[in-house]
Amino acid sequence: MAKVADPYLKVDPWAITEEGFDPERNRTSESIFSLGNEYMGVRGYADEGYSGDSLPGSYFNGLNEQMEVGNHYKGIIRSLRYMVNAVDWLHTRISVDGEPLDLAHSRIEKYTRRLDFRTGTYTREFIWLLADGKKLKLRFTRLVSMTTSHLGMQEISFTALNFTGKVDICTGLDFGMVHEEHGQSMWKEQRSGEEGAVTAIMASTLTTGNQLFSGFVLKSSQALHTELVEDDRYIGRQFSLMLAEGEPASFTKLVVNVTDSDASRAADRLWTKGMELAAAADRLEEEEVLADQAAYWSGIWATSDIRIEGDPENQQGIRFCIFQLYQTYHGDHPGYNIGAKGLTGEAYRGLAFWDTESYCLPFYLFNNPKAARSLLEFRYKTLPQALQRGKDVDCAGAFYPIATIDGTESCDLWQHSNLQLHVGTAVSYGIWHYVNNTGDREFLYSKGAEMLIQISRFYASRGQWGQRSGEYGYFGVMGPDEFQLMVNNNCYINLMAQKLFEYTLETVALMKAEAPEEYAAVIADTALREEELADWDHKRTHMKIPFDPGSGIYEEHDGFFDMPHLDIHSIPVSEFPLYANWSYDRLYRYDMIKQPDVLMFLFLYNGQFSREAKLANYEYYEPRCIHESSLSPSIHSILASELGKPEEAYRFFEFATRLDLDNYNRNTREGLHTTSIAAAWMNIVYGFGGMRSDGDCLSFRPVLPKQWTAYSFQVMCRGVLLGITVNAESVCFRAVNGGSVEVLIYDQRVTVDEAGIELPLAEGMLA
Amino acid sequence: MAKVADPYLKVDPWAITEEGFDPERNRTSESIFSLGNEYMGVRGYADEGYSGDSLPGSYFNGLNEQMEVGNHYKGIIRSLRYMVNAVDWLHTRISVDGEPLDLAHSRIEKYTRRLDFRTGTYTREFIWLLADGKKLKLRFTRLVSMTTSHLGMQEISFTALNFTGKVDICTGLDFGMVHEEHGQSMWKEQRSGEEGAVTAIMASTLTTGNQLFSGFVLKSSQALHTELVEDDRYIGRQFSLMLAEGEPASFTKLVVNVTDSDASRAADRLWTKGMELAAAADRLEEEEVLADQAAYWSGIWATSDIRIEGDPENQQGIRFCIFQLYQTYHGDHPGYNIGAKGLTGEAYRGLAFWDTESYCLPFYLFNNPKAARSLLEFRYKTLPQALQRGKDVDCAGAFYPIATIDGTESCDLWQHSNLQLHVGTAVSYGIWHYVNNTGDREFLYSKGAEMLIQISRFYASRGQWGQRSGEYGYFGVMGPDEFQLMVNNNCYINLMAQKLFEYTLETVALMKAEAPEEYAAVIADTALREEELADWDHKRTHMKIPFDPGSGIYEEHDGFFDMPHLDIHSIPVSEFPLYANWSYDRLYRYDMIKQPDVLMFLFLYNGQFSREAKLANYEYYEPRCIHESSLSPSIHSILASELGKPEEAYRFFEFATRLDLDNYNRNTREGLHTTSIAAAWMNIVYGFGGMRSDGDCLSFRPVLPKQWTAYSFQVMCRGVLLGITVNAESVCFRAVNGGSVEVLIYDQRVTVDEAGIELPLAEGMLA
């Protein structure tokens, strides 16, 4: 894997701190110091502007632009949607005696920035050494409210250290933010102006007409004499703060951002709504906003914290992951999904992949089941687009896109968007996983079943019968392992399709028996015919699962065992990443795999495979995997833990929590690896905690890595918050807030209640 | 195949005639009435301009422009070259009393146009009915000289039918021709002016700096008082011709076009050269030019004519094919290749494919061996580009491009340009085929061997060892059958690679024994090592040839026999062409094939396969082939003839000679199917004539289709022009111009001399 840490940030259990300003690392830090609240996200760029290398990015879930892609063939997409860089609502320009502040040119000292997991704020401070010898201390604080989606807050405080005078400030809202891929702003101004205390601007995206209102009010202990400043796509206010030596002076900007992705709605509607919300923000006190934010995070840590003793780096790392996961998504908006980089950068164009259901869903499912349901609702909301996409590729039913922001397929590489079918089964697995662990039949009957039926239809029309084998399967596909480009009978796809059909048939039967009204409704909505059920059953029972009984190894796809062998350790480190250094076609003709494929279903349906099967396949596939997906190592770590390979397990875990903090992939500058962050959580809970959630109740087989003295985590299980603590002697399970729940611990069925249960750490589990 | 003729043009053994002007068919006719001389080509567009639907195209071999293509991955091309629409040297504007001539608006009658195979001219005439009742008869004649590459001629004659007056003319050279894909001219003017009788202009292409000089002189029986007209990228002369009622008046424009694709050379050099050639043209008489042209064609027909008795449509069709093949290429310029549409349109961007060696070479080899050698010289000249391309895809040796105009890969679909390897073996087969039939060892030793070694190197580095099979082969490839997109061990590719290694090893051994100097030179030039020869021999002998001994059927690639079956006759006619009507990915997951793949090598190495093998494979693959390549039916027809299936043979032949004349594919408007035209020749000579050229001498097994009463054709065989006549009773072979040659006729070895030999048509050969 050839991953090497680039440690830089200060280790601290509850914060990320950078000391000193390093222009080379600025973009990386901008990603790490991102704030977000699911509704909006903002990178940790300089409020005051910076003429050096920077990506000032401000993103909103649900706002997207469209671009054409030049393709001629039917069924290949002709346009795609991407997350668009939006308003810079932190835009502030600062000068003293005409000397502008810009870290690319200004002399500064004592620079620090800090992201605080308990207050949910990002602060930055330094001393500015002016040309004429004046010293001005600045402190920038910002937050994006976790309790009030539309609200952002910025406070800038100034302390003149050796003079008395004034600082000139212009602060406002800038829609001129450059979208990096296109080298221009993708916005046109619709309206701007002031009403009462509120200064506001509204703009819409160039092609999709998505609308965004942004308005602010200013507060200060000083009476501010401000002047309106207007420019193209910009509105702001200009004023001065009086500075007395040694006495801090500050102003606070409360910003309200409101989106409307429906281009057909009149701009006035949004303007009025935005103005109302901004006026309400004007009634808020800064302390109140800060206190709300801290209270919110206090609640989160009470339920979702993971403690690791004896390993401060991973302690910080996993808290950073949990913090960023909540910032990216917490399920208040069922129409949103999680982009590969969350709301922290423009790489991957803000698109969501199968990562959502395969890697992120478990975190939400066991911390905040409402958020898990919300994620699945995204797929329900975008079912019409998936049905249309199915038609586009000459199939029936719902073909969920491999990459999307609004439900339409937005991957412009046909080999991925047309050949990768596995989002559909990730969704069906997600439904099953969610319902199985929450018992939420209401969701299953009202929405899940309809999705299952339409996904099954797709899989029943896309598959074909092998002429020789007489078995059913999928031809011309790319499985999760993207190093096998166009293959037949990918074992993962076939097996997942089999499970899909099985669960759909079960669900339909269950509804028929238990919920006749909902059953009638879904049959009517989908025009489901009895023959289809028979067809799915037939295909399910005749599904080809490439398997070699002699070795017990599942063959990744037809012919994989004959693929030329490559010793992946023989590849020079300088050739990684292979995507950048190998001819594109060369990637695809070895038994080398990019990420787990067979191992993935052995993990997902863990309980259905014997230890021997898992061991044989792990030992066959692991040495062939180069992990050129940041999602890959965690799955290997989890299986290695299960298979009694603690050193391997820890080696694969090693960079999971600190992938971005230590910039292992050297591309954190583009944004955080948000979905990999979710895999880090899985790595601890499913890996070391040994949790499995594919059975009739949760089961655990905790191990203690020798690098740790103890650790604890909590999972929400059917309404009960289960606390698990593991140390060298014992494992303790307790229903933290009362209630009781049945679980398996080391295969032993126990009921855990508030009193808790303590068992010795099983033999061999001290790694 | 669902191909239906659209008969329209007059049937005539020696010409193509269109009567009446049909704007709907204008582009199609422009393609059919194209003129060319290998150096340049010009579509049959209206000299006088036409504001209706038209593609005024003027193309030059060797002139090309570059465009960027947006690809990110290593080994995928980032730019491509294409044939660029160049100067309109026929540009003429005509008006009478201020009324301009434009067939989109003008009233005309008695419109005819005619392409004459014996004079090599294109003429067009009609009567123009002016608004004020005047009637003016016009006759346009043009030619592109087959004997003087740079020379074009245009004559326009006017006869006032009911008035006396004058016609106003402006004729010149226009570099403003729009390149259709880009909607603009790709030229910038370098220089223009007049010197003596010559009016000239020079321009260069925007990105590649290819240069083109165009100059003209005017002649007329009337004294012309001309005035210079200059505009951006245009130069011309304006004058009037006096018209007396009933008396033709005319002018002749002799044009010299000279290209220089070397951007580094000073413009002055080309200007001076062009001016010299134009001054020489001024000394020519029109009659002389016409007579030279007719004499040239007379010589061609004496050696290359095919006569078909009892089938005037195919008689006309095959002569059109032969005429166009000579126009496209006759080997005067070794640096040129044959684009898929020749010089008749912009589709396929003027690029040459494997069609050159696989489909066109035989025509030249047996009509004009010098031209065959010239075609192979193109590959020798572009060996450096192929070596670079090999490096680009992480391989050694020469990777010849799937589509090219200048030797660089210019196909912007990576799945073709990176996965289709079969141009290299088409080249090696072409070398073998050429040398085998001409005995030209000089070419083999001086150029062929170097290509063979470098192609072998590529094939030895691109291939891999199957992990299960232990055999060598090619993974991740697309064979000739483009409906199987990315497969392993394509049988055609593997077998052709085996043959390539075999021939290279033989050649090296032969040179070592026979030509030690040339041997030393090629070893030095290529730095060939003994181990490489051993490696090639090892790979050759361990090459995987997928074959089912039970049925005798070669498997097109690993797993083909398991590909889902589709009865191609069940596809509704409305869904053709499938490329346009099926989702792109759907094309690739059936046992449906686009064009011969296994059958192709059974044809190329015909003598090495038994009749039983050919029959079994033909009967397996033919029903699976949809012929969505215009190159496909002829190969099937040839094999059907051999296998005693005369009706099938004729059915596949049916549209071969008239593919464009009857616009079977409904896309002749984009240009002629030039390389398919070559396949029509093969269809008659190899199909009905039963010729085979892969043995130690030519062999023939003629059949007579029941649709014909007799036919004859000629082939050049080791310096002897062999005439073959077939009728219902007998087959006659004669060395037309003396000499003698050994051939096989119905498996009987005979020596044919000027006296000739007559044998009865073999039993069963009267189809």
Side-chain angles (χ1 to χ4, degrees), chain A residues 126-154:
Chain A
F126 54 88
I127 296 168
W128 178 16
L129 311 171
L130 284 111
D132 60 3
K134 291 194 181 88
K135 290 189 179 191
L136 180 63
K137 183 172 165 189
L138 294 98
R139 181 187 158 90
F140 300 78
T141 305
R142 70 171 77 154
L143 70 71
V144 175
S145 171
M146 294 295 280
T147 56
T148 310
S149 298
H150 309 100
L151 189 66
M153 189 175 81
Q154 172 189 37

mmCIF file of all heavy atoms in Angstrom, chain A residues 126-154:
data_model
loop_
_atom_site.group_PDB
_atom_site.id
_atom_site.type_symbol
_atom_site.label_atom_id
_atom_site.label_comp_id
_atom_site.label_asym_id
_atom_site.label_seq_id
_atom_site.Cartn_x
_atom_site.Cartn_y
_atom_site.Cartn_z
ATOM 1 N N PHE A 126 -3.452 35.208 15.162
ATOM 2 C CA PHE A 126 -2.052 35.522 14.873
ATOM 3 C C PHE A 126 -1.835 37.012 15.144
ATOM 4 O O PHE A 126 -2.798 37.771 15.346
ATOM 5 C CB PHE A 126 -1.686 35.180 13.427
ATOM 6 C CG PHE A 126 -2.576 35.799 12.384
ATOM 7 C CD1 PHE A 126 -2.317 37.074 11.872
ATOM 8 C CD2 PHE A 126 -3.704 35.118 11.905
ATOM 9 C CE1 PHE A 126 -3.138 37.630 10.911
ATOM 10 C CE2 PHE A 126 -4.527 35.681 10.949
ATOM 11 C CZ PHE A 126 -4.247 36.939 10.447
ATOM 12 N N ILE A 127 -0.562 37.378 15.161
ATOM 13 C CA ILE A 127 -0.217 38.798 15.320
ATOM 14 C C ILE A 127 0.303 39.310 13.996
ATOM 15 O O ILE A 127 1.169 38.691 13.369
ATOM 16 C CB ILE A 127 0.834 38.980 16.433
ATOM 17 C CG1 ILE A 127 0.217 38.531 17.769
ATOM 18 C CG2 ILE A 127 1.318 40.430 16.501
ATOM 19 C CD1 ILE A 127 1.226 38.377 18.891
ATOM 20 N N TRP A 128 -0.279 40.402 13.595
ATOM 21 C CA TRP A 128 0.085 41.008 12.309
ATOM 22 C C TRP A 128 1.103 42.122 12.578
ATOM 23 O O TRP A 128 0.834 43.045 13.358
ATOM 24 C CB TRP A 128 -1.200 41.546 11.655
ATOM 25 C CG TRP A 128 -1.019 42.245 10.330
ATOM 26 C CD1 TRP A 128 0.062 42.211 9.492
ATOM 27 C CD2 TRP A 128 -1.983 43.089 9.699
ATOM 28 N NE1 TRP A 128 -0.176 42.962 8.364
ATOM 29 C CE2 TRP A 128 -1.436 43.517 8.463
ATOM 30 C CE3 TRP A 128 -3.279 43.515 10.053
ATOM 31 C CZ2 TRP A 128 -2.119 44.361 7.584
ATOM 32 C CZ3 TRP A 128 -3.961 44.350 9.170
ATOM 33 C CH2 TRP A 128 -3.377 44.771 7.947
ATOM 34 N N LEU A 129 2.260 42.022 11.957
ATOM 35 C CA LEU A 129 3.318 43.021 12.123
ATOM 36 C C LEU A 129 3.252 43.965 10.928
ATOM 37 O O LEU A 129 3.657 43.589 9.811
ATOM 38 C CB LEU A 129 4.688 42.340 12.175
ATOM 39 C CG LEU A 129 4.783 41.139 13.147
ATOM 40 C CD1 LEU A 129 6.089 40.377 12.977
ATOM 41 C CD2 LEU A 129 4.611 41.622 14.586
ATOM 42 N N LEU A 130 2.730 45.167 11.174
ATOM 43 C CA LEU A 130 2.551 46.080 10.049
ATOM 44 C C LEU A 130 3.866 46.713 9.642
ATOM 45 O O LEU A 130 4.850 46.708 10.404
ATOM 46 C CB LEU A 130 1.503 47.146 10.412
ATOM 47 C CG LEU A 130 0.084 46.563 10.349
ATOM 48 C CD1 LEU A 130 -0.530 46.462 11.717
ATOM 49 C CD2 LEU A 130 -0.786 47.344 9.386
ATOM 50 N N ALA A 131 3.875 47.261 8.436
ATOM 51 C CA ALA A 131 5.103 47.838 7.875
ATOM 52 C C ALA A 131 5.666 48.940 8.775
ATOM 53 O O ALA A 131 6.876 49.084 8.932
ATOM 54 C CB ALA A 131 4.826 48.381 6.478
ATOM 55 N N ASP A 132 4.746 49.675 9.427
ATOM 56 C CA ASP A 132 5.214 50.809 10.236
ATOM 57 C C ASP A 132 5.459 50.415 11.700
ATOM 58 O O ASP A 132 5.555 51.277 12.568
ATOM 59 C CB ASP A 132 4.222 51.966 10.144
ATOM 60 C CG ASP A 132 2.841 51.554 10.641
ATOM 61 O OD1 ASP A 132 2.684 50.391 11.113
ATOM 62 O OD2 ASP A 132 1.904 52.367 10.542
ATOM 63 N N GLY A 133 5.535 49.110 11.980
ATOM 64 C CA GLY A 133 5.883 48.671 13.330
ATOM 65 C C GLY A 133 4.694 48.388 14.220
ATOM 66 O O GLY A 133 4.836 47.835 15.313
ATOM 67 N N LYS A 134 3.496 48.729 13.773
ATOM 68 C CA LYS A 134 2.302 48.428 14.580
ATOM 69 C C LYS A 134 2.129 46.918 14.677
ATOM 70 O O LYS A 134 2.434 46.185 13.743
ATOM 71 C CB LYS A 134 1.054 49.027 13.928
ATOM 72 C CG LYS A 134 0.972 50.543 13.960
ATOM 73 C CD LYS A 134 -0.449 50.988 13.594
ATOM 74 C CE LYS A 134 -0.577 52.502 13.588
ATOM 75 N NZ LYS A 134 -0.245 53.091 12.279
ATOM 76 N N LYS A 135 1.635 46.485 15.831
ATOM 77 C CA LYS A 135 1.320 45.057 16.001
ATOM 78 C C LYS A 135 -0.152 44.916 16.343
ATOM 79 O O LYS A 135 -0.624 45.530 17.299
ATOM 80 C CB LYS A 135 2.149 44.473 17.148
ATOM 81 C CG LYS A 135 3.623 44.356 16.828
ATOM 82 C CD LYS A 135 4.314 43.561 17.934
ATOM 83 C CE LYS A 135 5.797 43.413 17.633
ATOM 84 N NZ LYS A 135 6.432 42.443 18.546
ATOM 85 N N LEU A 136 -0.828 44.104 15.544
ATOM 86 C CA LEU A 136 -2.266 43.915 15.737
ATOM 87 C C LEU A 136 -2.533 42.420 15.887
ATOM 88 O O LEU A 136 -2.147 41.617 15.049
ATOM 89 C CB LEU A 136 -3.019 44.470 14.527
ATOM 90 C CG LEU A 136 -4.537 44.351 14.556
ATOM 91 C CD1 LEU A 136 -5.134 45.167 15.716
ATOM 92 C CD2 LEU A 136 -5.134 44.816 13.224
ATOM 93 N N LYS A 137 -3.170 42.081 16.992
ATOM 94 C CA LYS A 137 -3.518 40.676 17.200
ATOM 95 C C LYS A 137 -4.932 40.446 16.649
ATOM 96 O O LYS A 137 -5.854 41.231 16.921
ATOM 97 C CB LYS A 137 -3.469 40.364 18.691
ATOM 98 C CG LYS A 137 -3.736 38.919 19.009
ATOM 99 C CD LYS A 137 -3.495 38.615 20.474
ATOM 100 C CE LYS A 137 -4.117 37.267 20.805
ATOM 101 N NZ LYS A 137 -4.103 37.004 22.239
ATOM 102 N N LEU A 138 -5.085 39.381 15.865
ATOM 103 C CA LEU A 138 -6.408 39.086 15.297
ATOM 104 C C LEU A 138 -6.849 37.710 15.754
ATOM 105 O O LEU A 138 -6.026 36.796 15.909
ATOM 106 C CB LEU A 138 -6.358 39.082 13.766
ATOM 107 C CG LEU A 138 -6.053 40.432 13.113
ATOM 108 C CD1 LEU A 138 -4.585 40.526 12.751
ATOM 109 C CD2 LEU A 138 -6.937 40.658 11.899
ATOM 110 N N ARG A 139 -8.154 37.578 15.928
ATOM 111 C CA ARG A 139 -8.707 36.278 16.268
ATOM 112 C C ARG A 139 -10.008 36.121 15.479
ATOM 113 O O ARG A 139 -10.923 36.942 15.568
ATOM 114 C CB ARG A 139 -8.986 36.214 17.769
ATOM 115 C CG ARG A 139 -9.541 34.894 18.246
ATOM 116 C CD ARG A 139 -9.954 34.967 19.711
ATOM 117 N NE ARG A 139 -10.912 33.929 19.990
ATOM 118 C CZ ARG A 139 -10.599 32.690 20.400
ATOM 119 N NH1 ARG A 139 -9.344 32.372 20.637
ATOM 120 N NH2 ARG A 139 -11.533 31.786 20.603
ATOM 121 N N PHE A 140 -10.035 35.059 14.697
ATOM 122 C CA PHE A 140 -11.212 34.769 13.864
ATOM 123 C C PHE A 140 -11.904 33.548 14.457
ATOM 124 O O PHE A 140 -11.250 32.534 14.702
ATOM 125 C CB PHE A 140 -10.815 34.410 12.438
ATOM 126 C CG PHE A 140 -10.058 35.482 11.697
ATOM 127 C CD1 PHE A 140 -8.692 35.697 11.931
ATOM 128 C CD2 PHE A 140 -10.689 36.272 10.742
ATOM 129 C CE1 PHE A 140 -7.984 36.672 11.234
ATOM 130 C CE2 PHE A 140 -9.999 37.239 10.047
ATOM 131 C CZ PHE A 140 -8.633 37.449 10.292
ATOM 132 N N THR A 141 -13.184 33.662 14.671
ATOM 133 C CA THR A 141 -13.955 32.497 15.129
ATOM 134 C C THR A 141 -15.099 32.298 14.143
ATOM 135 O O THR A 141 -15.714 33.269 13.695
ATOM 136 C CB THR A 141 -14.546 32.750 16.529
ATOM 137 O OG1 THR A 141 -13.471 33.098 17.403
ATOM 138 C CG2 THR A 141 -15.280 31.530 17.054
ATOM 139 N N ARG A 142 -15.340 31.053 13.802
ATOM 140 C CA ARG A 142 -16.519 30.817 12.958
ATOM 141 C C ARG A 142 -17.215 29.544 13.399
ATOM 142 O O ARG A 142 -16.608 28.657 13.987
ATOM 143 C CB ARG A 142 -16.154 30.745 11.475
ATOM 144 C CG ARG A 142 -15.373 29.538 11.060
ATOM 145 C CD ARG A 142 -15.241 29.409 9.554
ATOM 146 N NE ARG A 142 -14.258 30.302 9.010
ATOM 147 C CZ ARG A 142 -13.581 30.070 7.862
ATOM 148 N NH1 ARG A 142 -13.820 28.965 7.159
ATOM 149 N NH2 ARG A 142 -12.686 30.925 7.415
ATOM 150 N N LEU A 143 -18.468 29.490 13.117
ATOM 151 C CA LEU A 143 -19.195 28.230 13.289
ATOM 152 C C LEU A 143 -20.301 28.139 12.265
ATOM 153 O O LEU A 143 -20.744 29.140 11.687
ATOM 154 C CB LEU A 143 -19.730 28.068 14.718
ATOM 155 C CG LEU A 143 -20.863 28.922 15.264
ATOM 156 C CD1 LEU A 143 -22.221 28.590 14.644
ATOM 157 C CD2 LEU A 143 -20.974 28.689 16.781
ATOM 158 N N VAL A 144 -20.684 26.902 12.035
ATOM 159 C CA VAL A 144 -21.838 26.609 11.199
ATOM 160 C C VAL A 144 -22.779 25.871 12.127
ATOM 161 O O VAL A 144 -22.423 24.822 12.675
ATOM 162 C CB VAL A 144 -21.416 25.750 9.991
ATOM 163 C CG1 VAL A 144 -22.626 25.334 9.189
ATOM 164 C CG2 VAL A 144 -20.428 26.510 9.118
ATOM 165 N N SER A 145 -23.938 26.444 12.333
ATOM 166 C CA SER A 145 -24.800 25.949 13.416
ATOM 167 C C SER A 145 -25.343 24.556 13.154
ATOM 168 O O SER A 145 -25.915 24.277 12.096
ATOM 169 C CB SER A 145 -25.972 26.922 13.615
ATOM 170 O OG SER A 145 -26.898 26.343 14.507
ATOM 171 N N MET A 146 -25.161 23.655 14.151
ATOM 172 C CA MET A 146 -25.700 22.298 14.041
ATOM 173 C C MET A 146 -27.179 22.264 14.414
ATOM 174 O O MET A 146 -27.851 21.261 14.152
ATOM 175 C CB MET A 146 -24.924 21.346 14.956
ATOM 176 C CG MET A 146 -23.478 21.153 14.551
ATOM 177 S SD MET A 146 -23.229 20.333 12.947
ATOM 178 C CE MET A 146 -23.462 18.611 13.408
ATOM 179 N N THR A 147 -27.671 23.325 15.017
ATOM 180 C CA THR A 147 -29.068 23.301 15.465
ATOM 181 C C THR A 147 -29.969 24.139 14.569
ATOM 182 O O THR A 147 -31.169 23.907 14.496
ATOM 183 C CB THR A 147 -29.181 23.805 16.915
ATOM 184 O OG1 THR A 147 -28.594 25.111 16.978
ATOM 185 C CG2 THR A 147 -28.464 22.881 17.869
ATOM 186 N N THR A 148 -29.410 25.117 13.908
ATOM 187 C CA THR A 148 -30.190 25.958 12.999
ATOM 188 C C THR A 148 -29.497 25.901 11.635
ATOM 189 O O THR A 148 -28.491 26.580 11.408
ATOM 190 C CB THR A 148 -30.244 27.419 13.500
ATOM 191 O OG1 THR A 148 -30.624 27.406 14.869
ATOM 192 C CG2 THR A 148 -31.213 28.249 12.678
ATOM 193 N N SER A 149 -30.014 25.059 10.739
ATOM 194 C CA SER A 149 -29.312 24.735 9.495
ATOM 195 C C SER A 149 -28.849 25.938 8.703
ATOM 196 O O SER A 149 -27.793 25.923 8.084
ATOM 197 C CB SER A 149 -30.219 23.901 8.589
ATOM 198 O OG SER A 149 -30.537 22.698 9.197
ATOM 199 N N HIS A 150 -29.678 26.994 8.688
ATOM 200 C CA HIS A 150 -29.359 28.109 7.792
ATOM 201 C C HIS A 150 -28.278 29.022 8.336
ATOM 202 O O HIS A 150 -27.808 29.907 7.643
ATOM 203 C CB HIS A 150 -30.614 28.972 7.565
ATOM 204 C CG HIS A 150 -31.786 28.180 7.160
ATOM 205 N ND1 HIS A 150 -32.770 27.817 8.044
ATOM 206 C CD2 HIS A 150 -32.116 27.653 5.979
ATOM 207 C CE1 HIS A 150 -33.679 27.103 7.411
ATOM 208 N NE2 HIS A 150 -33.305 26.983 6.159
ATOM 209 N N LEU A 151 -27.915 28.816 9.609
ATOM 210 C CA LEU A 151 -27.137 29.837 10.305
ATOM 211 C C LEU A 151 -25.634 29.584 10.316
ATOM 212 O O LEU A 151 -25.168 28.490 10.645
ATOM 213 C CB LEU A 151 -27.625 29.911 11.764
ATOM 214 C CG LEU A 151 -27.068 31.065 12.599
ATOM 215 C CD1 LEU A 151 -27.556 32.410 12.077
ATOM 216 C CD2 LEU A 151 -27.464 30.876 14.073
ATOM 217 N N GLY A 152 -24.896 30.628 9.976
ATOM 218 C CA GLY A 152 -23.447 30.625 10.154
ATOM 219 C C GLY A 152 -23.064 31.850 10.964
ATOM 220 O O GLY A 152 -23.787 32.857 10.983
ATOM 221 N N MET A 153 -21.938 31.762 11.658
ATOM 222 C CA MET A 153 -21.521 32.912 12.448
ATOM 223 C C MET A 153 -20.020 33.112 12.311
ATOM 224 O O MET A 153 -19.253 32.153 12.233
ATOM 225 C CB MET A 153 -21.874 32.713 13.915
ATOM 226 C CG MET A 153 -21.664 33.969 14.751
ATOM 227 S SD MET A 153 -22.238 33.732 16.445
ATOM 228 C CE MET A 153 -20.851 32.887 17.145
ATOM 229 N N GLN A 154 -19.651 34.373 12.254
ATOM 230 C CA GLN A 154 -18.238 34.741 12.141
ATOM 231 C C GLN A 154 -17.984 35.861 13.137
ATOM 232 O O GLN A 154 -18.764 36.826 13.192
ATOM 233 C CB GLN A 154 -18.019 35.239 10.715
ATOM 234 C CG GLN A 154 -16.671 35.857 10.401
ATOM 235 C CD GLN A 154 -16.670 36.500 9.006
ATOM 236 O OE1 GLN A 154 -17.667 37.077 8.584
ATOM 237 N NE2 GLN A 154 -15.551 36.403 8.311
#
